[in-house]
Amino acid sequence: DAGVIQSPRHEVTEMGQEVTLRCKPISGHDYLFWYRQTMMRGLELLIYFNNNVPIDDSGMPEDRFSAKMPNASFSTLKIQPSEPRDSAVYFCASSLYLPGREAFFGQGTRLTVV
Amino acid sequence: AQSVTQPDIHITVSEGASLELRCNYSYGATPYLFWYVQSPGQGLQLLLKYFSGDTLVQGIKGFEAEFKRSQSSFNLRKPSVHWSDAAEYFCAVGAPYNNAGNMLTFGGGTRLMVKP
């Protein structure tokens, strides 16, 4: 299995631009999670899906952030408009079982907003 | 809701020395417990997990962890550290119930540095 695949690995964009991060979970996994990692706040859960349906988006910082999962093999996290404080590493993870079981992480997307 | 504390932000050990990384959790029952490792520029990789049964669990790369219910701890150990073990280590707790509140909760991480 190829694991969780994220793209791009690095993204540099100017403030105000739209940014779209992509994720392909492990085939057969029912749960998909988006995390953000920063030095100041550590690893934060932004949103998670179960069977393509958003279950909890309470971690999404602002309305500028949105996430979709149109099918079982693809999810996007969009930031519009982006701001410098959005600079972070964004991880996608997937899990086969309950949300409290182990999650498998992608390599992450390092986002820099200048 | 569960929580996880990793008291040590940074730890430095000499290559070949033993290692113990501390993890304390808060949860009303026996949780699922995990240790992940993150090498620079990489995602989080699962080292080991505890669900039930034997309280000493073995993981990859020679790591082990022991669940101590009385201390609400799940410390990670390795008898002899290698330079390639330098990374950040995250302890995580999950609740064994299927409802929206039971996410994996991560500790703040412990950055391990290995001296030659």
Side-chain angles (χ1 to χ4, degrees), chain A residues 9 31 33 35 37 39 42-43 45 48 50 55-56 89 91 98-108 110, chain B residues 32 34 36 38 41-44 46 49 51 88 90 93-104 106 111:
Chain A
R9 290 293 310 277
Y31 292 89
F33 308 86
Y35 287 88
Q37 186 180 40
M39 290 290 292
L43 203 59
L45 177 66
Y48 85 95
N50 178 210
I55 303 299
D56 185 353
V89 181
F91 288 104
L98 307 173
R101 295 285 287 261
E102 66 267 42
F104 296 87
F105 283 75
Q107 300 273 54
R110 181 174 294 278
Chain B
Y32 297 151
F34 310 88
Y36 285 83
Q38 184 181 27
Q42 301 298 312
L44 278 71
L46 182 67
K49 60 191 177 187
F51 293 155
E88 187 146 22
F90 292 91
V93 60
Y97 300 109
N98 187 15
N99 63 55
N102 297 320
M103 298 300 100
L104 270 188
F106 287 85
R111 183 167 297 278

Side-chain angles (χ1 to χ4, degrees), chain A residues 27 57 65:
Chain A
S27 177
D57 66 355
F65 287 70

Side-chain angles (χ1 to χ4, degrees), chain B residues 67-78:
Chain B
F67 169 56
K68 292 186 177 180
R69 185 192 309 275
S70 61
Q71 298 176 20
S72 297
S73 69
F74 189 58
N75 293 350
L76 182 71
R77 301 194 294 249
K78 187 169 185 178

Side-chain angles (χ1 to χ4, degrees), chain B residues 10-19 21 63 78 80-89 111-116:
Chain B
H10 293 100
I11 282 186
T12 300
V13 300
S14 297
E15 190 168 17
S18 64
L19 171 70
L21 302 183
F63 285 92
K78 187 169 185 178
S80 178
V81 169
H82 188 262
W83 64 266
S84 61
D85 293 325
E88 187 146 22
Y89 292 79
R111 183 167 297 278
L112 174 66
M113 291 170 280
V114 181
K115 291 190 300 185

Side-chain angles (χ1 to χ4, degrees), chain A residues 14-19 62 64-65 79-83 86:
Chain A
E14 292 185 347
M15 182 173 63
Q17 295 298 305
E18 177 180 298
V19 175
E62 301 172 36
R64 299 184 294 107
F65 287 70
I79 308 172
Q80 165 64 18
S82 58
E83 297 183 3
D86 301 330

Side-chain angles (χ1 to χ4, degrees), chain A residues 12-89:
Chain A
V12 180
T13 190
E14 292 185 347
M15 182 173 63
Q17 295 298 305
E18 177 180 298
V19 175
T20 299
L21 312 181
R22 296 172 176 79
C23 174
K24 176 178 167 53
I26 294 172
S27 177
H29 281 194
D30 292 336
Y31 292 89
L32 183 140
F33 308 86
W34 282 101
Y35 287 88
R36 179 171 68 174
Q37 186 180 40
T38 61
M39 290 290 292
M40 292 296 295
R41 301 174 68 90
L43 203 59
E44 304 173 273
L45 177 66
L46 301 178
I47 185 172
Y48 85 95
F49 296 82
N50 178 210
N51 292 325
N52 313 338
V53 176
I55 303 299
D56 185 353
D57 66 355
S58 59
M60 297 284 259
E62 301 172 36
D63 291 345
R64 299 184 294 107
F65 287 70
S66 62
K68 294 182 180 180
M69 192 166 186
N71 57 62
S73 59
F74 183 65
S75 176
T76 60
L77 178 69
K78 184 179 294 186
I79 308 172
Q80 165 64 18
S82 58
E83 297 183 3
R85 58 195 169 113
D86 301 330
S87 298
V89 181

